[in-house]
Amino acid sequence: MVPLSLTVNGKPIEVEVEARTLMVDLLRNTLGLTGTHIGCDTSQCGACVVHVNGRTIKSCSVLAVACDGEEITTIEGLACDDGRLHPMQQAFADCHGLQCGYCTPGMIMTAVAIADEEDLLEPARLREELHGNLCRCTGYQNIVKAVIAGADAMKRSG
Amino acid sequence: MQNFDFHRPQTLAEAVSILAEDEGAKLLAGGQTLLPTMKQGLATPSALVALRAIPGLTGIRACDDGSLEIGAMTCHADVAASPLVQRLLPGLAALANKIADRHVRNRGTLGGSIANCDPAADYPAALLALDATIVTDRREIPADEFFAGLFTTALEDREIVTTVRFAPATRVAYAKFSSPASRYAIVGVAVAASGSAVRVAVTGAGADGLFRWEEAEAALTRDFSPEALGKFEPDPDMLNGDMHASPAYRASLTRTMTIRAVRTLLSERILD
C-alpha cells in the first residue's frame, strides 16, 4: 500500500491505496463520490473528467498515487453548500444540455474549465474543445448551448 | 490491472538506481499511453518510477543562442499555450494543441511521447524535421539517430530523456490527417525550413514508422513551393495499410499534407 495525501473538493484526505488504484476508483469506491462516472474505462469518453489543480484530466487514466499533494475537484465540489447549483450545472438544466445524464459530470467539469477562455467559446472552437467528451445520446446541440450560457452566467456571477 | 510497486524518486540518480535494481520497472511520465496499455494487460511492469517529483524536468526556456529548450515532463497543453514556443516555433505550439484531446494534453508529456515513439504520434515528426537534439541523463542524441523504428528509440536501458533542444532560426509547420476518434495521425507531415535547407518528416504513414521524405526535401530545397512537389508521392510499398487507409491513400495523403505544411510556412513568411 502507498500512503497518499491530497485535497478533494477542498477537504484534505489521507489514505493508503494500492499503487494500481485509478483516481476514478479512489473517488468512487474509497471516497464515495459516485458523481464521477466510468463510461468507457478506456480513456476515450470523458465521463470521468475531474480537475487536478484546476485542469481537466480523465480520472480513469491517472493513478491516484500520481496525484499526491494535488487538489482534486469533482462534480460534487461545484454546487454551493446550501444546495444551489453551480451556474454551469444550472445552464445544463435550463438548456436541456443532458438527456440520459451519463456524460454530464464530465461535460460540466470540462465546461467549467474552459468557461473563462473567451476564444474557446466560439461554437466551432467549442465543439473542437469538447472532443474529449462523448455524449452517446448525441445531444451536442444543447450541450454547446448550455456551455455558452453557463460561461456567461459564471462571468455575471463573478 | 495487475498491481506493481510505486516509486517517487526525487532525483534522476535515484530513478536510475531503482531501474537498475528492478528489471521489470518502467518510467511513468504522464501515463496517457502507458496506463491504458497496462489496463489492457499489454504491459505488466513490476514497478512504476514516477518522474513528476524530480525537479528540472518541466519547463520551457530560451537559451542565449536563441535555441529553445523544453523539459521532457512538460505537458502538451503547456507547450501549446507557451508564449515562448508560440513566438519561436509557432508550428510546434500548433502541433501540441492538436494532440488527442484537452484532457490528454493536460497530462501527456513531450518526453513520454518521444520515448514511446508510437508510429502515429505527432511530436516525433516535428522533432525529426527540426533536427532537434534529445538530451538525456547521460548524452545528447540527434533526432536522426533517436527515432529508430516502430516503438523503438536509441535510448539505452535506464536512460532518461530530460530535455529536447531546438536550434534557432528554424521554422516548422505540421499538417495532419487524423483519425476522427483518437486524433492519432493517419498521416502527419512536418516540414521545417532553416535558411535554404528543408527537412520533411512523415508520421503515421511509414510501414517502419517515422521517416524523412528525401525526394520532397530535395525538391523543396530547390524551390520552396507547393508546385515544386510536382506529382511526387512516396512509394506505397514502404507505407502502412490498415482499416483507416490503404498504402496508396496514405501516399496521396502524404503529398497533400506536405503541400499544406508548405503553404502554412509560406503564409507565415509573408506576415513576417
Side-chain angles (χ1 to χ4, degrees):
Chain A
M1 301 293 268
V2 184
L4 175 63
S5 62
L6 35 68
T7 308
V8 179
N9 297 333
K11 219 168 84 187
I13 306 276
E14 306 266 344
V15 281
E16 289 213 335
V17 295
E18 279 191 319
R20 64 178 168 179
T21 307
L22 298 167
M23 176 51 74
V24 71
D25 293 328
L26 172 73
L27 293 171
R28 290 178 56 87
N29 302 345
T30 309
L31 304 180
L33 296 169
T34 53
T36 301
H37 290 168
I38 301 173
C40 66
D41 203 19
T42 54
S43 192
Q44 299 176 54
C45 79
C48 66
V49 166
V50 301
H51 294 182
V52 176
N53 299 335
R55 300 171 79 153
T56 59
I57 58 119
K58 294 176 195 166
S59 61
C60 81
S61 299
V62 173
L63 293 172
V65 290
C67 297
D68 191 49
E70 318 261 25
E71 267 183 47
I72 317 295
T73 309
T74 71
I75 189 76
E76 290 92 343
L78 291 188
C80 303
D81 288 339
D82 63 10
R84 256 183 315 126
L85 293 179
H86 181 280
M88 190 60 78
Q89 291 175 304
Q90 190 60 53
F92 269 69
D94 294 343
C95 299
H96 196 184
L98 59 149
Q99 291 174 46
C100 85
Y102 203 86
C103 71
T104 310
M107 285 285 181
I108 290 180
M109 295 314 289
T110 303
V112 169
I114 61 184
D116 58 354
E117 295 183 53
E118 197 67 48
D119 57 327
L120 298 183
L121 295 174
E122 186 270 319
R125 275 296 300 279
L126 182 53
R127 283 165 191 273
E128 184 61 34
E129 212 52 34
L130 291 174
H131 172 67
N133 296 78
L134 303 181
C135 167
R136 293 300 299 269
C137 309
T138 70
Y140 293 105
Q141 300 289 359
N142 287 345
I143 289 170
V144 168
K145 223 186 276 177
V147 177
I148 293 168
D152 191 46
M154 281 171 67
K155 215 180 305 161
R156 278 186 283 113
S157 68
Chain B
M1 186 164 35
Q2 279 188 26
N3 208 13
F4 45 82
D5 294 332
F6 187 78
H7 304 277
R8 275 187 282 247
Q10 304 295 311
T11 65
L12 279 172
E14 200 186 326
V16 171
S17 79
I18 297 165
L19 292 172
E21 282 161 23
D22 182 351
E23 286 217 337
K26 265 188 175 295
L27 294 170
L28 175 68
Q32 296 302 283
T33 301
L34 181 57
L35 280 170
T37 309
M38 288 170 64
K39 285 167 72 177
Q40 287 181 291
L42 297 173
T44 50
S46 54
L48 288 184
V49 183
L51 295 170
R52 271 177 97 76
I54 300 176
L57 293 182
T58 308
I60 299 167
R61 52 206 162 257
C63 306
D64 291 342
D65 66 355
S67 59
L68 178 72
E69 288 191 347
I70 303 181
M73 284 294 287
T74 309
C75 72
H76 311 327
D78 286 351
V79 173
S82 158
L84 205 51
V85 182
Q86 286 173 1
R87 181 160 57 82
L88 295 177
L89 272 179
L92 190 71
L95 174 151
N97 200 40
K98 294 284 181 197
I99 298 173
D101 56 54
R102 64 173 292 120
H103 318 308
V104 171
R105 292 195 292 272
N106 279 335
R107 202 74 192 175
T109 67
L110 171 60
S113 169
I114 62 171
N116 185 49
C117 199
D118 188 294
D122 299 304
Y123 268 133
L127 267 61
L128 184 59
L130 284 164
D131 198 10
T133 302
I134 291 93
V135 183
T136 76
D137 59 326
R138 62 195 75 165
R139 60 180 171 147
E140 300 195 349
I141 311 173
D144 277 312
E145 287 169 31
F146 183 86
F147 298 107
L150 306 168
F151 299 104
T152 308
T153 68
L155 289 170
E156 294 166 357
D157 286 350
R158 304 188 284 282
E159 186 170 14
I160 301 174
V161 178
T162 57
T163 307
V164 177
R165 189 167 62 236
F166 300 91
T170 307
R171 320 199 52 155
V172 69
Y174 179 67
K176 154 162 91 158
F177 189 83
S178 57
S179 155
S182 70
R183 297 290 156 101
Y184 268 110
I186 292 172
V187 173
V189 177
V191 176
S194 171
S196 63
V198 179
R199 288 166 62 107
V200 179
V202 184
T203 187
D208 297 323
L210 186 70
F211 68 93
R212 278 175 66 188
W213 186 16
E214 286 166 7
E215 198 178 24
E217 291 180 353
L220 291 168
T221 302
R222 280 193 301 274
D223 169 18
F224 196 79
S225 73
E227 295 74 28
L229 284 175
K231 294 194 186 315
F232 289 168
E233 286 181 1
D235 180 359
D237 284 347
M238 55 170 282
L239 302 186
N240 173 34
D242 58 20
M243 63 184 282
H244 299 294
S246 66
Y249 185 35
R250 276 195 165 85
S252 172
L253 284 172
T254 303
R255 175 191 152 76
T256 304
M257 294 305 121
T258 305
I259 289 171
R260 285 188 190 170
V262 168
R263 286 210 174 110
T264 302
L265 281 176
L266 286 171
S267 67
E268 281 175 4
R269 272 189 193 162
I270 291 163
L271 293 173
D272 271 355

